[in-house]
Amino acid sequence: MLAYESAGTGPAIVLLHGFPLNRSIWTEQRECLSARYRVILPDLPGLGESAPLAETTIAGMAAEVLRLMDHLQVPQFALGGHSMGGYVALALQKLAPERVRGLALICTQAGDDTPEARAGRYATAEKVMAEGTEVLVGAMLPKLFATPDAGAAGEAVAALIRQSSREGVRECLHAMAKREDMRTRLPSISVPTLVLTGQEDRLIPPDRSEGMAAQMPHAVLVKVPNAGHMPMVEQPKEVNQALERWLELVY
Ligand code: MLT
């Protein structure tokens, strides 16, 4: 079973973190949304306190989230995912559309990897196995925030990356490399959808979010100024407001 945290009571919202992070990235959202909702924050397989799966795939991660929701006896929920968590959210929506009342896709994309990106992930996985997760701090941190010097927020995210295990990171990289192209599914997703991006996201550029929102019949696109790939940490107030407006449509 996945490790998780649950705060508040009311209609359920599940938030899935990105790579190579863990559930603590949603602290500001938990604080705000738990006044009206039950906020459920899992650690995805291989990250945080959750063990890796025997062979991790994005669909396998989605199945684990569903197993957790069965265990918590939550039949339906609003589902948000950041970056890799967005890949898992789209896979879960495919696996069990009847369980998902609304979808929030945050700094993520529906397409799969190019062959070059895929090869890059396998190479990074090998490097992390050989040298440790510090490799990722150097490679990712400069691209995560809108401002190069992210100060305390940057330090906090670097600490989360360092906490991740080599094996968990390898499994996630392999899962992302093998993920399915979900683009053709987008027009069939008819629940209230929030597509949110940082205006200065350099990891998954805002045009990916624009493209997704244009394909989804009930999508609202929000571009957060002065935010890069980590808007929930960089501009938590704006992100919380967007999530609250979306949840009003969902419930
Ligand atoms: C993430 O932030 O979850 C990852 O960087 C996404 C990716 O590498 O595709």
Side-chain angles (χ1 to χ4, degrees):
M1 191 66 60
L2 295 178
Y4 72 97
E5 195 178 328
S6 170
T9 54
I13 167 167
V14 181
L15 293 173
L16 305 178
H17 62 79
F19 168 87
L21 306 171
N22 63 52
R23 66 185 195 249
S24 68
I25 208 72
W26 299 114
T27 301
E28 297 276 354
Q29 287 66 46
R30 183 196 64 203
E31 292 301 300
C32 168
L33 300 176
S34 61
R36 285 183 62 191
Y37 300 97
R38 180 177 187 190
V39 182
I40 299 168
L41 308 176
D43 278 335
L44 289 172
L47 295 172
E49 294 173 325
S50 291
L53 302 173
E55 198 196 334
T56 310
T57 60
I58 294 294
M61 292 197 208
E64 283 301 303
V65 175
L66 276 172
R67 231 155 62 82
L68 174 64
M69 300 316 287
D70 290 342
H71 169 75
L72 296 175
Q73 299 185 323
V74 178
Q76 287 195 319
F77 43 89
L79 178 64
H82 170 241
S83 203
M84 181 183 77
Y87 309 158
V88 178
L90 283 168
L92 193 157
Q93 199 280 336
K94 180 182 177 190
L95 210 59
E98 72 287 355
R99 313 261 324 244
V100 180
R101 288 187 63 134
L103 203 54
L105 299 170
I106 302 173
C107 296
T108 191
Q109 57 194 341
D112 56 353
D113 276 358
T114 61
E116 298 73 38
R118 205 168 284 138
R121 298 220 199 251
Y122 287 119
T124 305
E126 276 183 33
K127 206 157 182 238
V128 167
M129 289 308 287
E131 296 170 33
T133 53
E134 194 63 31
V135 165
L136 291 176
V137 176
M140 291 185 76
L141 204 60
K143 298 189 209 147
L144 286 179
F145 294 90
T147 49
D149 176 17
E155 277 311 307
V157 168
L160 292 190
I161 298 175
R162 289 191 183 106
Q163 279 165 26
S164 301
S165 74
R166 295 179 193 211
E167 291 74 17
V169 162
R170 177 189 58 196
E171 288 304 306
C172 289
L173 283 165
H174 286 192
M176 288 193 285
K178 288 182 287 189
R179 78 184 186 279
E180 209 182 311
D181 184 353
M182 294 286 185
R183 280 173 294 190
T184 57
R185 286 189 47 74
L186 296 178
S188 70
I189 299 178
S190 57
V191 291
T193 302
L194 168 66
V195 179
L196 185 143
T197 182
Q199 253 175 16
E200 287 150 71
D201 189 342
R202 279 169 293 154
L203 258 176
I204 300 184
D207 64 352
R208 309 287 166 88
S209 292
E210 288 159 5
M212 279 196 298
Q215 291 293 312
M216 303 181 84
H218 299 287
V220 172
L221 175 67
V222 173
K223 294 199 255 177
V224 180
N226 303 315
H229 192 60
M230 305 297 297
M232 71 291 242
V233 177
E234 297 174 275
Q235 302 297 342
K237 228 170 94 191
E238 282 71 9
V239 171
N240 291 347
Q241 278 168 2
L243 288 170
E244 282 178 314
R245 281 197 298 269
W246 162 67
L247 285 165
E248 290 286 347
L249 300 173
V250 175
Y251 288 113

